[in-house]
């Protein structure tokens, strides 16, 4: 079967054992191992490890296990033995839906921790190639956290439809909104994006993090097409390397 062949390829990859992984991983990571057990099947080594929460972390363990299983169920609803199709936009959509369902900042933060752990371990096992961990958006926790954190799907579609893509401003706005909606970028990350951050050949975006760190995100076709359309027929000629610039000079 597809699951068995995938397990055999992973077993032959020579990756470190789960026992070594468990020496440093948190309860969130341990719960991910359980969630993945049924998915990756027998013969991959996971079944040989006794996975228990650390002392005092039982609640975190159970919560992370719940979210890891929910994420897996939504990413492979038909039981396919592959996560290769999962993209950054899928991760952002899942987090936004779960955050809206939970209505609780602490639980939402546990959910994002579980998703990051899931993506980290899935990549460690070779189930996904791209590093999707940086695409997990942070969950806000402030005094007005009860306010909606994101637009509904209907509101988002209405906002996207409002862009007049026949104009230069509309093409710019369309590209910006897709970066926000599909990749979950922050406003500051969008404004800081430079022409050198777009790797067209690899279909990736380089997002500068705090300090000297940088994250590479897969560039979906729809977003790449919107960026190319804006850069080719919308962006004013200027010496700035920033992707998005003012349409009129100050």
């Amino acid at each position: 079967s597809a699951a068995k062949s995938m397990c055999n390829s992973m077993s032959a990859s020579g990756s470190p054992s789960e026992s070594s992984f468990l020496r440093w991983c948190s309860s969130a990571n341990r719960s991910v191992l359980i969630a993945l057990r049924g998915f990756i099947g027998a013969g991959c080594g996971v079944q040989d490890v006794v996975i228990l929460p650390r002392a005092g972390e039982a609640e975190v363990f159970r919560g992370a296990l719940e979210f890891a299983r929910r994420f897996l169920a939504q990413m492979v609803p038909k039981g396919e033995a592959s996560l290769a199709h999962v993209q950054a936009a899928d991760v952002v959509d899942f987090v936004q839906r779960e955050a809206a369902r939970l209505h609780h900042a602490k639980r939402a933060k546990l959910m994002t921790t579980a998703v990051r752990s899931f993506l980290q371990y899935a990549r460690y096992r070779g189930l996904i190639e791209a590093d999707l961990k940086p695409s997990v958006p942070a969950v806000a926790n402030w005094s007005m956290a009860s306010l909606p954190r994101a637009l509904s799907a209907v509101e988002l579609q209405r906002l996207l439809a409002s862009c007049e893509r026949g104009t230069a401003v509309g093409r710019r706005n369309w590209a910006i909104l897709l970066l926000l909606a599909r990749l979950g970028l922050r406003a500051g990350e969008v404004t800081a994006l430079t022409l050198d951050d777009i790797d067209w050949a690899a279909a990736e975006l380089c997002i500068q993090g705090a300090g000297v760190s940088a994250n590479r995100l897969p560039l979906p076709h729809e977003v790449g097409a919107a960026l190319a359309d804006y850069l080719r027929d919308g962006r004013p000629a200027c010496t700035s390397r920033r992707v998005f610039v003012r349409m009129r000079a100050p």
Side-chain angles (χ1 to χ4, degrees):
S1 66
K4 184 175 180 180
S5 62
M6 182 173 64
C7 291
N8 292 336
S9 64
M10 288 190 297
S11 297
S13 64
S15 59
S17 67
E18 272 68 28
S19 297
S20 298
F21 184 78
L22 286 173
R23 293 192 185 113
W24 60 265
C25 72
S26 65
S27 283
N29 292 88
R30 290 165 181 243
S31 66
V32 168
L33 289 176
I34 291 182
L36 281 170
R37 268 183 169 172
F39 178 72
I40 64 179
C44 297
V46 178
Q47 288 76 10
D48 301 328
V49 180
V50 177
I51 308 169
L52 297 172
R54 290 176 174 174
E57 294 185 343
E59 181 180 355
V60 173
F61 183 82
R62 288 192 299 268
L65 175 58
E66 172 195 346
F67 294 125
R69 282 175 169 165
R70 285 181 64 85
F71 181 80
L72 179 60
Q74 293 190 35
M75 293 302 105
V76 286
K78 297 181 181 179
E80 302 95 333
S82 175
L83 287 170
H85 65 282
V86 178
Q87 299 182 358
D90 301 318
V91 177
V92 173
D93 288 344
F94 173 82
V95 171
Q96 289 178 339
R97 287 195 305 268
E98 288 295 297
R101 179 183 69 87
L102 293 170
H103 293 296
H104 191 285
K106 184 177 179 180
R107 291 275 292 165
K109 285 191 174 184
L110 175 57
M111 176 267 296
T112 56
T113 298
V115 173
R116 289 190 186 96
S117 296
F118 186 100
L119 294 171
Q120 177 188 20
Y121 188 70
R123 191 180 186 216
Y124 161 82
R125 290 294 309 195
L127 300 176
I128 55 176
E129 292 185 4
D131 183 9
L132 297 178
K133 183 181 175 183
S135 68
V136 180
V139 177
N141 182 20
W142 60 80
S143 59
M144 301 177 70
S146 59
L147 296 177
R149 296 190 180 96
L151 297 176
S152 67
V154 174
E155 291 170 334
L156 176 59
Q157 290 305 316
R158 189 181 302 129
L159 177 61
L160 291 173
S162 70
C163 295
E164 298 180 5
R165 295 163 63 186
T167 67
V169 172
R171 286 188 285 273
R172 179 198 63 184
N173 294 344
W174 173 254
I176 290 174
L177 289 174
L178 286 184
L179 286 169
L180 295 170
R182 302 292 188 252
L183 294 182
L185 297 188
R186 301 176 178 89
E189 292 170 334
V190 172
T191 58
L193 197 64
T194 70
L195 297 173
D196 304 303
D197 293 330
I198 307 175
D199 188 339
W200 297 105
E204 291 181 338
L205 278 182
C206 181
I207 306 301
Q208 298 299 326
V212 297
S213 63
N215 299 311
R216 302 187 70 85
L217 295 180
L219 183 62
H221 175 75
E222 181 186 23
V223 182
L227 284 170
D229 192 29
Y230 160 70
L231 293 173
R232 182 176 55 247
D233 190 18
R235 183 177 182 271
C238 62
T239 58
S240 174
R241 300 297 293 173
R242 293 290 179 92
V243 171
F244 298 104
V245 297
R246 294 173 62 102
M247 302 308 292
R248 295 180 182 178

